[in-house]
């Protein structure tokens, strides 16, 4: 019996995402340059370059974890524990393996190794899986059976794994895609609970967490969330207090350690090329997950991490094994890690042949696996089992970029079809991965740096392009620290040595701790962090893309940032300077949002009345809190994410330019009475292609209002 495919999402399901909202404050870049001791390196040999890439070694995006690269494994996969799998996972620096396989988790009983209604391949039991995971040096991510299991069954699994066997299995999800249990009209996930609502899932998560942590208090418990902008995000079921995430998170934030989300670029007809374009929306979706955690968990939010436990181009088995999906895999893994997740788990290790097509001159087997299962579709058969497909090499190339403990840093490309990712190594080297998505043309790339000065040594270059059977070291010496050429449809990683006496390795100061958000007003924010050894002062920098500006300086380990715009979002990190002014590596980043003024002369209430995934209805109420009436008014706001818009409205006139919306009082509208004596309301039908985040700032006739 051939391994079954992962269930296809319901018809009409779409996969969307975001834009960035960050206010950049003016400050002295000259101060930063004086402390670094060197100015950003100027690009050279630029005559024939058609792409520019800027890398900022002082703009940290986070630290790579040991579980950063992960794969899914499934009990219906007869090749799951082949010896070749261990060697291939180690070669790609895979650090996490998820078991027992997506939706199968909700029918799987670990003790009997059975999945009623499904197929279980021989030799795929838990101990066999753990033997493979341990031999490969990976951390298991285990899915406790929610659909047909109990908290007691899950606790027994923890006891067997960590007490009886000493496996030290740290990460445990409660169920798979439970929101697909039919509560919202589409059901592919098994769920025996009579109540299939998000509130029942939240109640059960608390019970599972209590039972499992009673056995082993060190385990990390994960709750299943929908991905903002993806079905059924925004859909509110009958009797529910909100959509899935807003109903679940407030009820479980005090007992969970991470959340699990999935991201597929589209349905069965999605190509890798279109998926790579849609990847631009993933950062916004992940930022909205973090925002939802922040709102629900408050001070505990930094302790709750995000796992992207399934990702692939599409959900239906078409155009999946060829070169473009290898480019997608590399780009997607790094994009997700740079935006706050601790593990990205590819679906799947082996999966099975699907629709047969030809892509880039090669047979695409429609297989969602990284490795061949040797299966056939009709008369067309895959290569020998465990032969790597292109997505495997895409993930493997990310290991050439960085490993556990290295710091991801900001990189920005001037071309949409050339992606750039960068990592500052613990030993001081800097690595850059370039993804050329153009199938026909080589791209010559100028490299520019801030906070890093490359040595004169020839860089180390690794390539995966047409004609390469594996990651290939390039030894022709044509690449320089300032310019490289990337072949069509190729991945290229460039690793540079720092000039002697420069970079964080030359500083006596250690790296500061990740800043924490202590408090904020409409115009200020107080931040604090763990101090660094040998630090004499600290710089707080705000990041906008690959550019940074100093916004605070202190000799202590806390700072209050002043003169911030009300309701504005900022991403900052901290660097330490030693006695000679040399800067450390940057801390991991913090993103925070200021409030709106509590003593404003106006108040606006924004309420989303209903939503259906890619559209919504909202009502806005405005009050004049000043001591004089207002005759004739305008209300302005900016949408936080791309893809949000006003489609039609009532009780006012609406105009949108880009992300900015202006609403004008209807002709004949009466005045707004002073001191909150009257309320004016208007409503509209909106659309969203991605996360549907609420606006943070409303202005009445140009004056910032309090929001509620």
């Amino acid at each position: 019996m051939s391994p079954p495919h992962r269930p296809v999402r319901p018809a009409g399901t779409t996969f969307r995402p975001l834009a960035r909202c960050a206010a950049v404050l003016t400050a002295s870049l000259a101060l930063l340059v004086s402390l670094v001791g060197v100015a950003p390196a100027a690009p050279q040999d630029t005559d024939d370059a058609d792409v520019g890439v800027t890398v900022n070694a002082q703009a940290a995006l986070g630290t790579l974890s040991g579980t950063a690269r992960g794969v899914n494994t499934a009990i219906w996969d007869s090749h799951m524990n082949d010896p070749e799998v261990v060697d291939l996972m180690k070669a790609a620096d895979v650090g996490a393996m998820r078991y027992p396989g997506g939706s199968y988790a909700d029918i799987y009983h670990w003790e009997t190794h059975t999945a009623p209604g499904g197929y279980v391949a021989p030799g795929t039991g838990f101990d066999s899986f753990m033997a493979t995971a341990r031999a490969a040096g990976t951390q298991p991510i285990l899915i406790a059976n929610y659909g047909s299991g109990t908290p007691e069954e899950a606790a027994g699994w923890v006891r067997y794994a960590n007490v009886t066997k000493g496996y030290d299995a740290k990460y445990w999800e409660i169920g798979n895609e439970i929101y697909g249990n039919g509560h919202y009209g589409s059901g592919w996930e098994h769920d025996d609970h009579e109540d299939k609502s998000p509130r029942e899932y939240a109640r059960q998560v608390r019970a599972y967490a209590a039972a499992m942590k009673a056995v082993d208090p060190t385990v990390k418990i994960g709750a299943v969330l929908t991905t903002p902008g993806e079905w059924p995000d925004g859909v509110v079921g009958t009797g529910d207090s909100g959509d899935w995430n807003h109903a679940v998170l407030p009820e479980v934030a005090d007992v969970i350690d991470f959340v699990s989300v999935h991201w597929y670029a589209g349905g069965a007809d999605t190509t890798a090329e279109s998926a790579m374009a849609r990847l631009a929306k993933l950062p916004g979706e992940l930022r909205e997950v973090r925002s939802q955690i922040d709102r629900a968990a408050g001070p505990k939010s930094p302790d709750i991490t995000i796992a992207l436990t399934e990702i692939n181009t599409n959900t239906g088995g078409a155009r999946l094994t060829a070169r473009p999906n290898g480019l997608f895999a590399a780009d997607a893994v790094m994009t997700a890690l740079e935006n706050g997740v601790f593990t990205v788990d590819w679906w799947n290790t082996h999966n099975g042949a699907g629709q047969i097509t030809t892509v880039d001159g090669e047979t695409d087997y429609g297989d969602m696996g990284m490795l061949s299962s040797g299966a056939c579709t009709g008369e067309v058969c895959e290569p020998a089992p465990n032969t790597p497909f292109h997505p495997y090499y895409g993930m493997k190339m990310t290991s050439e970029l960085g490993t556990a403990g290295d710091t991801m840093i900001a990189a920005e490309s001037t071309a949409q079809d050339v992606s750039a990712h960068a990592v500052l190594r613990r030993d001081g080297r800097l690595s850059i991965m370039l993804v050329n998505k153009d199938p026909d043309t080589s791209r010559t790339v100028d490299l520019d740096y801030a906070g890093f000065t490359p040595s004169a040594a020839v860089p180390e270059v690794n390539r995966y392009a047409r004609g390469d059977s594996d990651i290939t070291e390039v030894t022709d010496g044509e690449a320089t620290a300032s310019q490289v050429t990337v072949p069509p449809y190729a991945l290229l990683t460039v690793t540079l040595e720092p000039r002697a006496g420069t970079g964080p390795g030359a500083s006596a100061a250690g790296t500061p701790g990740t800043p924490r958000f202590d408090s904020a007003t409409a115009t200020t924010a107080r931040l604090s962090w763990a101090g660094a050894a040998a630090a004499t002062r600290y710089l707080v920098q705000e990041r906008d893309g690959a550019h940074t500006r100093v916004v605070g300086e202190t000799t202590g380990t806390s700072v209050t940032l002043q003169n911030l715009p009300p309701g504005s979002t900022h991403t900052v990190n901290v660097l330490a300077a030693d006695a000679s002014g040399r800067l450390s590596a940057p801390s991991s980043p913090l993103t925070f949002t200021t409030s709106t003024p509590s003593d404003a002369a106006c108040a606006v209430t924004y309420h989303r009345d209903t939503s259906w995934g890619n559209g919504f209805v909202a009502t806005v109420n405005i009050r004049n809190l000043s001591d004089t009436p207002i005759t004739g008014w305008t209300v302005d706001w900016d949408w936080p994410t791309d893809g949000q818009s006003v489609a039609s409205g009532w009780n006012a006139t609406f105009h949108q330019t880009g992300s900015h919306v202006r609403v004008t009082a209807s002709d004949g509208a009466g005045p707004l009475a002073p001191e909150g004596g009257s309320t004016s309301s208007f409503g509209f039908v909106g659309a969203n292609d991605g996360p549907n985040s609420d606006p943070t700032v409303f202005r009445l006739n140009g004056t910032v209002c309090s929001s509620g």
Side-chain angles (χ1 to χ4, degrees):
M1 178 176 180
S2 296
H5 292 299
R6 182 180 180 282
V8 176
R9 294 275 199 306
T13 299
T14 54
F15 295 80
R16 325 182 172 78
L18 139 93
R20 171 182 44 160
C21 173
V24 180
L25 307 178
T26 57
S28 172
L29 185 60
L31 171 63
L32 182 60
V33 171
S34 69
L35 288 170
V36 178
V38 292
Q44 302 172 10
D45 305 325
T46 60
D47 291 346
D48 56 352
D50 56 358
V51 181
V53 166
T54 300
V55 178
N56 191 335
Q58 294 171 338
L61 305 180
T63 302
L64 287 169
S65 71
T67 55
R69 284 169 284 270
V71 296
N72 279 266
T73 60
I75 56 174
W76 41 258
D77 172 15
S78 60
H79 296 287
M80 183 178 78
N81 297 308
D82 288 353
E84 297 92 335
V85 172
V86 170
D87 294 336
L88 288 164
M89 295 302 108
K90 290 171 71 173
D93 195 35
V94 169
M97 300 182 81
R98 184 173 181 251
Y99 177 92
S103 295
Y104 260 58
D106 286 307
I107 59 173
Y108 178 64
H109 301 284
W110 70 272
E111 194 166 13
T112 58
H113 188 50
T114 58
Y119 170 74
V120 178
T124 59
F126 177 56
D127 286 319
S128 296
F129 161 75
M130 282 304 306
T132 296
R134 299 183 89 180
T138 65
Q139 174 67 227
I141 297 178
L142 303 173
I143 319 170
N145 183 343
Y146 176 86
S148 60
T150 64
E152 293 72 27
E153 181 182 32
W157 196 0
V158 173
R159 182 177 294 106
Y160 179 78
N162 291 354
V163 178
T164 303
K165 302 294 289 189
Y167 288 148
D168 191 26
K170 184 180 298 184
Y171 299 104
W172 298 77
E173 297 177 61
I174 310 303
N176 185 53
E177 296 170 350
I178 301 302
Y179 47 80
N181 61 7
H183 183 68
Y184 299 108
S186 294
W188 64 87
E189 200 73 19
H190 187 91
D191 186 359
D192 287 338
H193 296 87
E194 183 176 353
D195 183 354
K196 294 178 170 53
S197 68
R199 70 177 169 274
E200 175 64 11
Y201 176 70
R203 189 183 75 80
Q204 291 285 347
V205 166
R206 298 189 68 86
Y208 274 73
M212 296 164 78
K213 289 197 173 189
V215 174
D216 182 353
T218 69
V219 297
K220 306 292 185 183
I221 301 298
V224 172
L225 295 186
T226 65
T227 304
E230 313 290 349
W231 189 93
D233 174 52
V235 179
V236 179
T238 303
D240 293 343
S241 61
D243 64 6
W244 183 274
N245 288 8
H246 291 92
V248 169
L249 263 176
E251 300 300 321
V252 303
D254 61 323
V255 299
I256 63 172
D257 304 285
F258 68 99
V259 299
S260 172
V261 295
H262 295 170
W263 197 84
Y264 292 86
D269 59 348
T270 300
T271 66
E273 292 88 343
S274 62
M276 285 189 282
R278 293 196 66 81
L279 194 58
K281 297 189 175 186
L282 179 59
E285 296 194 349
L286 293 172
R287 282 197 291 272
E288 179 60 17
V289 173
R290 173 49 60 191
S291 294
Q292 291 177 1
I293 297 171
D294 290 345
R295 292 191 292 270
K300 188 179 183 292
S301 177
D303 301 324
I304 300 176
T305 53
I306 303 171
L308 186 56
T309 53
E310 289 185 23
I311 190 169
N312 207 314
T313 301
N314 66 59
T315 59
R319 296 174 292 280
L320 288 158
T321 66
R323 183 171 303 279
N325 212 28
L327 304 182
F328 171 84
D331 208 6
V333 166
M334 291 312 304
T335 297
L337 293 171
E338 291 162 351
N339 284 278
V341 307
F342 72 87
T343 185
V344 185
D345 305 329
W346 189 261
W347 185 273
N348 202 1
T349 304
H350 310 90
N351 206 73
Q355 180 182 349
I356 306 298
T357 57
T358 299
V359 179
D360 195 39
E362 299 177 303
T363 299
D364 190 301
Y365 298 96
D367 190 322
M368 300 179 78
M370 281 194 163
L371 309 178
S372 171
S373 64
C376 303
T377 295
E379 296 182 353
V380 179
C381 294
E382 295 181 347
N386 298 308
T387 300
F389 292 133
H390 289 290
Y392 170 81
Y393 293 114
M395 180 173 282
K396 185 177 181 181
M397 182 60 98
T398 70
S399 69
E400 298 290 338
L401 183 63
T403 57
D406 293 340
T407 301
M408 296 172 287
I409 57 176
E412 202 165 54
S413 171
T414 61
Q416 290 186 340
D417 57 357
V418 177
S419 294
H421 305 275
V423 167
L424 186 63
R425 304 293 193 106
R426 287 163 293 166
D427 60 9
R429 294 179 299 156
L430 187 148
S431 295
I432 307 162
M433 184 177 74
L434 301 169
V435 185
N436 182 4
K437 307 169 195 177
D438 189 322
D440 302 313
T441 308
S442 295
R443 307 302 295 274
T444 300
V445 181
D446 276 345
L447 300 173
D448 194 14
Y449 309 92
F452 180 83
T453 305
S455 75
V458 175
E460 175 187 327
V461 179
N462 287 284
R463 181 193 66 213
Y464 186 64
R466 292 180 179 123
D468 293 332
S469 59
D470 202 338
I471 308 300
T472 302
E473 184 177 358
V474 179
T475 58
D476 58 17
E478 291 186 6
T480 69
S482 59
Q483 191 175 94
V484 296
T485 298
V486 191
Y489 257 14
L491 301 167
L492 196 76
T493 300
V494 181
T495 298
L496 305 156
E497 299 281 348
R499 182 184 297 172
T502 68
S507 175
T511 304
T514 304
R516 295 183 70 98
F517 175 71
D518 295 333
S519 61
T521 67
T523 58
T524 67
R526 180 174 175 79
L527 314 176
S528 59
W529 54 88
T536 60
R537 55 179 166 171
Y538 299 91
L539 298 180
V540 180
Q541 295 191 133
E542 178 165 29
R543 177 173 61 85
D544 178 27
H547 304 281
T548 54
R549 289 186 172 89
V550 178
V551 294
E553 182 181 358
T554 180
T555 57
T557 55
S558 64
V559 69
T560 299
L561 304 181
Q562 306 283 348
N563 301 318
L564 307 177
S568 57
T569 299
H570 309 267
T571 298
V572 299
N573 53 39
V574 181
L575 296 96
D578 66 12
S580 299
R582 294 174 297 223
L583 293 179
S584 69
S587 72
S588 291
L590 166 73
T591 298
F592 66 89
T593 301
T594 58
S595 63
T596 53
S598 58
D599 58 350
C602 52
V604 172
T605 301
Y606 178 93
H607 183 262
R608 202 183 313 164
D609 305 323
T610 186
S611 90
W612 50 91
N614 60 354
F616 61 102
V617 175
T619 299
V620 180
N621 297 313
I622 57 176
R623 289 187 300 146
N624 169 25
L625 303 181
S626 71
D627 56 6
T628 58
I630 296 176
T631 302
W633 50 260
T634 60
V635 173
D636 292 84
W637 73 81
D638 292 288
W639 292 117
T641 65
D642 285 341
Q644 292 178 284
S645 62
V646 174
S648 61
W650 50 91
N651 294 343
T653 301
F654 298 80
H655 180 72
Q656 181 167 339
T657 303
S659 62
H660 184 77
V661 178
R662 168 159 289 188
V663 183
T664 306
S666 300
D667 292 341
L672 285 169
E675 299 178 349
S678 65
T679 300
S680 185
S681 299
F682 58 85
F684 62 91
V685 177
N688 59 290
D689 180 18
N692 192 16
S693 308
D694 291 349
T696 57
V697 179
F698 295 88
R699 288 177 169 81
L700 176 64
N701 289 355
T703 298
V704 175
C705 302
S706 61
S707 300

